Amino acid sequence: MSEINLPAVVAEVKSAFERYEAALVSNDVAVLDELFWSSPHTVRYGVTENLYGYEAIAAFRSARAPAGLARTLSNTIITTYGTDFATVNTEFQRSGQSGRQSQTWLRTDQGWRVVSAHVSLLAN
């Protein structure tokens, strides 16, 4: 298990995740689209939507309201497996609402990309 959490790979995924988070809260749709794997196999389960394939995810992003996106993260856990696969799990607070998010990241020829994501809210 020496391939778990290689420091250089964790740093790469952390950088990609931080870029994603900055794009999310600033509604930088171009960067959000870039960071999802452009494939019909990409899946994103949101709070109110199930999105199958890159095109559906990109359409959701472009139609989403850009207001009220700021949030605070906690308990972010990055785990890398070898040099090309990783998971990122985090909790967030937005406007008094608690939620959680999980992402699966894959190293592609274009860089690290989200291949699967899940966002859910917790009952208050």
Side-chain angles (χ1 to χ4, degrees):
M1 287 301 202
S2 62
E3 295 271 314
I4 302 295
N5 285 343
L6 296 169
V9 181
V10 171
E12 290 174 12
V13 174
K14 181 179 181 193
S15 177
F17 175 74
E18 288 173 346
R19 187 169 176 236
Y20 174 90
E21 185 64 22
L24 181 70
V25 299
S26 67
N27 200 42
D28 188 337
V29 175
V31 171
L32 292 170
D33 287 347
E34 173 193 330
L35 291 175
F36 270 80
W37 185 37
S38 182
S39 168
H41 303 292
T42 305
V43 175
R44 181 185 178 278
Y45 293 143
V47 174
T48 61
E49 68 283 335
N50 296 331
L51 305 170
Y52 300 97
Y54 175 84
E55 297 300 326
I57 296 165
F60 166 79
R61 290 270 184 233
S62 67
R64 185 177 67 157
L69 299 176
R71 64 188 194 165
T72 304
L73 301 184
S74 62
N75 299 318
T76 301
I77 299 172
I78 298 171
T79 307
T80 64
Y81 308 86
T83 58
D84 300 326
F85 186 78
T87 57
V88 180
N89 294 278
T90 194
E91 296 174 34
F92 63 86
Q93 288 281 325
R94 175 183 285 145
S95 303
Q97 178 70 59
S98 298
R100 55 196 165 193
Q101 170 183 301
S102 62
Q103 298 172 328
T104 303
W105 290 77
L106 176 70
R107 183 194 303 273
T108 70
D109 290 342
Q110 295 74 38
W112 285 98
R113 298 296 185 261
V114 176
V115 298
S116 180
H118 184 211
V119 180
S120 59
L121 298 176
L122 298 170
N124 283 335

